[in-house]
């Protein structure tokens, strides 16, 4: 369905890999490191799935997919998490529900 890679700065979350990663990374950062995510930026772009992503998703190289990049920030504006995802085109449904004030 998707291939994901997440990067967290080791200086702000030393020993992160030693935590049980059964819960969300955002929860671990909050409880173990007192780091709260206050903003997320999400960029989505159609792409061709090539090489490693295509192989991991068990599709032919060149087939369409969706590249999603999420950058999470704390209250000081530091990047605390960078997440890159490649999604198969046939596993997507994107819905956006925005409340307007």
């Amino acid at each position: 369905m998707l291939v994901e890679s997440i990067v967290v700065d080791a200086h702000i979350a030393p020993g992160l890999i030693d935590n049980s990663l059964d819960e969300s990374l955002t929860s671990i950062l909050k409880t173990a490191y007192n780091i709260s995510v206050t903003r997320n930026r999400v960029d989505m772009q159609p792409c061709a799935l090539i090489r490693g992503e295509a192989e991991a998703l068990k599709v032919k190289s060149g087939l369409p997919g969706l590249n999603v990049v999420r950058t999470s920030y704390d209250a000081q504006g530091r990047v605390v998490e960078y997440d890159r995802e490649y999604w198969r085109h046939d596993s997507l449904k994107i819905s956006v529900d925005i409340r307007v004030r």
Side-chain angles (χ1 to χ4, degrees):
M1 179 180 306
L2 82 122
V3 174
E4 178 179 36
S5 74
I6 300 174
V7 177
V8 176
D9 185 345
H11 290 100
I12 65 171
L16 177 64
I17 197 71
D18 298 327
N19 288 274
S20 169
L21 300 176
D22 291 339
E23 61 182 296
S24 79
L25 183 54
T26 301
S27 296
I28 293 170
L29 290 172
K30 184 165 180 62
T31 58
Y33 299 96
N34 199 29
I35 297 171
S36 295
V37 172
T38 60
R39 182 169 71 96
N40 283 305
R41 177 186 169 126
V42 179
D43 294 307
M44 293 183 250
Q45 182 174 349
C47 67
L49 298 169
I50 56 172
R51 295 184 213 104
E53 292 83 19
E55 185 177 310
L57 292 169
K58 297 181 170 55
V59 298
K60 284 178 114 177
S61 185
L63 283 178
L66 183 69
N67 174 238
V68 177
V69 175
R70 182 175 49 85
T71 308
S72 301
Y73 301 87
D74 67 7
Q76 290 77 38
R78 292 184 305 178
V79 173
V80 296
E81 182 183 347
Y82 179 84
D83 176 22
R84 179 177 295 270
E85 304 169 3
Y86 290 94
W87 288 79
R88 289 177 54 135
H89 76 284
D90 57 352
S91 65
L92 290 170
K93 176 182 178 186
I94 299 172
S95 300
V96 179
D97 183 355
I98 299 172
R99 188 167 305 237
V100 179
R101 296 182 203 192

